[in-house]
């Protein structure tokens, strides 16, 4: 028996298993510290890419070009454009005034402008603005025979197949001639279509008066027609004070229903990266980041080579591969809008990367009891959550389709099926427009709203919380009776911390008696937190003492003979230990009977 106690059931010596476990813990601790350094470096790198001036620059420019009204007509600004007449008033008024700042407020030339504009006296207009429109061909849709006598032209919504590629109007300048799109250029996703590059393009002059004449000429010669589907106004600014470029795009869509829908994009980006000392510090972080990327890639390749198909069974390994896929460079283009587009794309990838990098911390803090309970709860109830999600989304999508079909033609929040889905999520969070729903249908509106709130909010969401709560109770019960993972990594960190304090002579070394006493106090405190009374705790401590004394006597590795005589005192101790065990079993049985009676009462 003594010989068997020194060996594990599989035949491996216990001291070797302990050594392996200790090596594994040390490796995990080293990996977690290395990953923490990587995460700090990545945070510095990502926060160095943005600054508060980006928001303020966008705010100033949007206020200038979106909120400035036409002189003498306060209701007309870019946001409120609804007709072609309003559009030309904006072009010849607020847009022209916003683009050309050729003198100081007292009409003095304070700067050497060099034939360029300085918007708000601080932002240099780079080059000249560009205006571009896309058109569709006639007869891209079919007029019903009953109305052909009234209307013989039909212009469908914009698609690349319906786009008009022929010259029109005066045909002697670029604005009347079609320009082919640039290969691999990004498309623009608007309200009523997805628009590609190219079209009928013209650039503005550096002179304000020449640009005004250009606008008047285009308006008089009907540059905008029934076939026009979208007009883009693109220009770029640079502010040297904060080293930021602001790339601006104003979009006016002309849907097949008539009217105009306006939208805009303001991108403030830092294209000149290394100017100040802080920028060079960020550059050093980028170099460190690349080194980490090479190291992590090498590690994952070695793991895949070692574990092969078993590697892909771990969710953490999938997360690590996702991080490596996201960390890629983006191609840069010469055009400022393309530069801004890919720079924003790069920023978005970095934002997603830092999100998953933070999520991966759960892998390294699983030694914490609270985090282990959380992960155990989620992993144990995942099947119930999947089943619940199927039922939830069946009901949710049924209500979304009902809302779209009943209210879609009158309420903006339900104008599309996608809008209906997001609107219902907002209703669950308490953000809803009941008045609009009721006005659209005084009968079905209240019925839809009340039944949706009752079914989703009061029933389904409470079912979801019940699943999580019940599973957490099971996990907590398992932990309280000892069926829990061994938090040895946490113990190792705590032990290393105490050893460091002892070496620095900031703490007295602990004796074996001190360790036992501290461990006993910790267990007693944990029992109190879990609801045990003092009598139960004292009884458990007495039983533990008897158990340790008996194990020391009969399971000691120093015993060489299997047969050992039992003295009268030892027999008495064994008898008392058995009596206490019987008491505990009787006490547990009473508790179980009490619980079963409560469960039976709840069922009836």
């Amino acid at each position: 028996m003594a010989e068997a106690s020194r060996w594990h059931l599989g035949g491996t010596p216990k001291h070797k298993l302990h050594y392996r476990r200790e090596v594994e813990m040390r490796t995990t601790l080293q990996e977690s510290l290395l990953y923490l350094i990587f995460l700090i470096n990545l945070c510095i790198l990502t926060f160095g890419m943005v600054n508060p001036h980006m928001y303020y620059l966008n705010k100033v420019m949007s206020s200038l070009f979106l909120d400035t009204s036409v002189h003498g007509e306060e209701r007309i600004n870019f946001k409120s454009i609804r007709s072609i007449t309003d559009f030309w008033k904006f072009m010849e008024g607020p847009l022209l005034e916003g683009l050309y700042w050729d003198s100081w407020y007292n009409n003095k030339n304070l700067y050497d402008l060099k034939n360029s504009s300085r918007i708000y006296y601080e932002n240099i207009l780079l080059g000249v603005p560009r205006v571009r429109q896309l058109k569709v061909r006639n007869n891209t849709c079919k007029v019903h025979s009953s109305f052909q006598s009234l209307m013989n032209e039909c212009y469908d919504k914009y698609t690349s197949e319906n786009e008009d590629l022929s010259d029109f109007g005066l045909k002697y300048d670029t604005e009347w001639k079609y320009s082919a799109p640039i290969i691999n250029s990004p498309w623009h996703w608007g309200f009523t279509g997805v628009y590609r590059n190219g079209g009928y393009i013209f650039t503005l002059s550096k002179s304000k008066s020449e640009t005004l004449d250009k606008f008047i000429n285009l308006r008089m010669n009907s540059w905008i027609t029934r076939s026009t589907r979208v007009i883009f106004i693109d220009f770029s600014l640079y502010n040297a004070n904060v080293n930021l470029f602001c790339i601006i795009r104003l979009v006016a869509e002309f849907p097949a229903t008539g009217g105009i829908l306006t939208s805009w994009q303001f991108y403030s980006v830092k294209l000149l990266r290394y100017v100040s000392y802080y920028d060079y510090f960020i550059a050093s972080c980028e170099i460190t980041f690349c080194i980490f990327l090479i190291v992590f890639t090498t590690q994952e390749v070695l793991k895949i080579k070692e574990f092969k198909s078993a590697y892909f069974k771990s969710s953490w390994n999938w997360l690590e591969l996702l991080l490596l896929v996201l960390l890629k460079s983006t191609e840069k283009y010469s055009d400022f809008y393309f530069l801004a587009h890919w720079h924003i794309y790069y920023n978005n990838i970095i934002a997603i990367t830092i999100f998953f990098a933070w999520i991966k911390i759960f892998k390294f803090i699983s030694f914490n009891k609270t985090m282990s309970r959380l992960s155990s709860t989620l992993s144990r109830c995942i099947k119930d959550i999947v089943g619940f999600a199927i039922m939830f989304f069946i009901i949710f999508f049924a209500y979304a389709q009902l809302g779209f079909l009943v209210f879609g033609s009158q309420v903006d929040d339900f104008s599309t099926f996608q809008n209906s889905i997001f609107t219902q999520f907002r209703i669950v969070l308490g953000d809803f427009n009941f008045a609009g729903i009721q006005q659209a249908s005084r009968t079905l509106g209240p019925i839809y709203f009340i039944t949706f709130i009752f079914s989703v909010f009061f029933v389904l969401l409470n079912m979801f919380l019940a699943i999580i709560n019940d599973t957490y109770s099971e996990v907590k019960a398992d932990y309280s009776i000892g069926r829990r993972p061994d938090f040895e990594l946490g113990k190792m960190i705590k032990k290393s911390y105490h050893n460091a304090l002892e070496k620095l002579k900031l703490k007295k070394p602990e004796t074996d008696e001190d360790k036992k006493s501290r461990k006993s106090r910790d267990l007693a405190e944990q029992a109190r937190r879990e609801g045990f009374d003092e009598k139960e705790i004292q009884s458990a401590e007495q039983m533990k003492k008897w158990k340790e004394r008996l194990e020391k006597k009969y399971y000691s590795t120093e015993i060489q003979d299997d047969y050992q005589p039992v003295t009268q005192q030892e027999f008495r101790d064994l008898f008392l230990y058995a009596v206490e065990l019987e008491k505990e079993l009787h006490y547990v049985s009473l508790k179980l009977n009490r619980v079963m009676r409560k469960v039976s009462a709840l069922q009836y």
Side-chain angles (χ1 to χ4, degrees), residues 189-211:
W189 190 355
F191 288 121
T192 60
V194 180
Y195 307 99
R196 64 177 178 178
N197 210 325
Y200 303 90
I201 304 171
F202 70 93
T203 57
L204 306 186
S205 170
K206 287 184 176 293
S207 170
K208 181 178 179 180
S209 59
E210 291 180 4
T211 300

Side-chain angles (χ1 to χ4, degrees), residues 251-458:
V251 184
E253 295 180 69
F254 297 74
T257 57
I260 299 178
L261 302 174
T262 56
S263 59
W264 48 87
Q265 292 177 341
F266 291 84
Y267 293 148
S268 288
V269 295
K270 187 176 181 179
L271 301 178
L272 303 178
R273 299 187 61 120
Y274 309 115
V275 177
S276 64
Y277 290 113
Y278 180 72
D279 295 335
Y280 287 106
F281 170 70
I282 297 297
S284 66
C285 293
E286 291 174 347
I287 296 172
T288 307
F289 172 78
C290 293
I291 295 173
F292 273 114
L293 186 59
I294 295 171
V295 172
F296 289 155
T297 303
T298 306
Q299 286 180 348
E300 298 310 310
V301 170
L302 292 177
K303 285 182 182 178
I304 293 174
K305 186 176 180 181
E306 179 180 358
F307 297 105
K308 297 180 181 178
S309 60
Y311 172 89
F312 299 98
K313 295 180 180 179
S314 172
S315 58
W316 294 115
N317 294 335
W318 281 104
L319 179 58
E320 287 166 354
L321 287 178
L322 178 61
L323 287 174
L324 294 176
V325 169
L326 290 173
L327 300 174
K328 292 183 178 180
S329 299
T330 54
E331 187 179 356
K332 300 293 190 294
Y333 293 84
S334 58
D335 185 273
F336 280 110
Y337 180 78
F338 295 160
L339 280 169
H341 174 84
W342 290 108
H343 193 279
I344 295 298
Y345 172 80
Y346 171 76
N347 287 356
N348 293 341
I349 294 296
I350 289 295
I352 297 172
T353 302
I354 193 67
F355 170 79
F356 284 112
W358 277 105
I359 294 297
K360 190 183 173 183
I361 289 183
F362 286 103
K363 175 182 178 181
F364 297 105
I365 62 175
S366 58
F367 58 82
N368 178 270
K369 186 183 300 184
T370 303
M371 301 310 304
S372 180
R373 282 181 178 179
L374 175 62
S375 60
S376 299
T377 301
L378 294 178
S379 61
R380 188 176 295 189
C381 69
I382 187 66
K383 292 183 179 179
D384 293 333
I385 290 178
V386 170
F388 167 79
I390 294 174
M391 178 179 62
F392 175 84
F393 283 110
I394 288 175
I395 298 175
F396 195 82
F397 286 135
Y399 272 102
Q401 188 170 11
L402 173 64
F404 169 62
L405 295 176
V406 175
F407 316 119
S409 61
Q410 301 181 55
V411 182
D412 179 61
D413 291 340
F414 294 89
S415 58
T416 65
F417 185 67
Q418 295 87 340
N419 286 353
S420 299
I421 293 173
F422 288 108
T423 299
Q424 291 187 160
F425 279 115
R426 287 167 47 199
I427 291 176
V428 172
L429 296 175
D431 180 17
F432 53 85
N433 179 18
F434 178 75
I437 296 174
Q438 188 179 31
Q439 186 176 1
S441 177
R442 295 193 176 275
T443 303
L444 291 178
I447 293 175
Y448 162 85
F449 182 78
I450 294 172
T451 57
F452 176 78
I453 291 294
F454 179 79
S455 302
V456 175
F457 191 79
F458 290 107

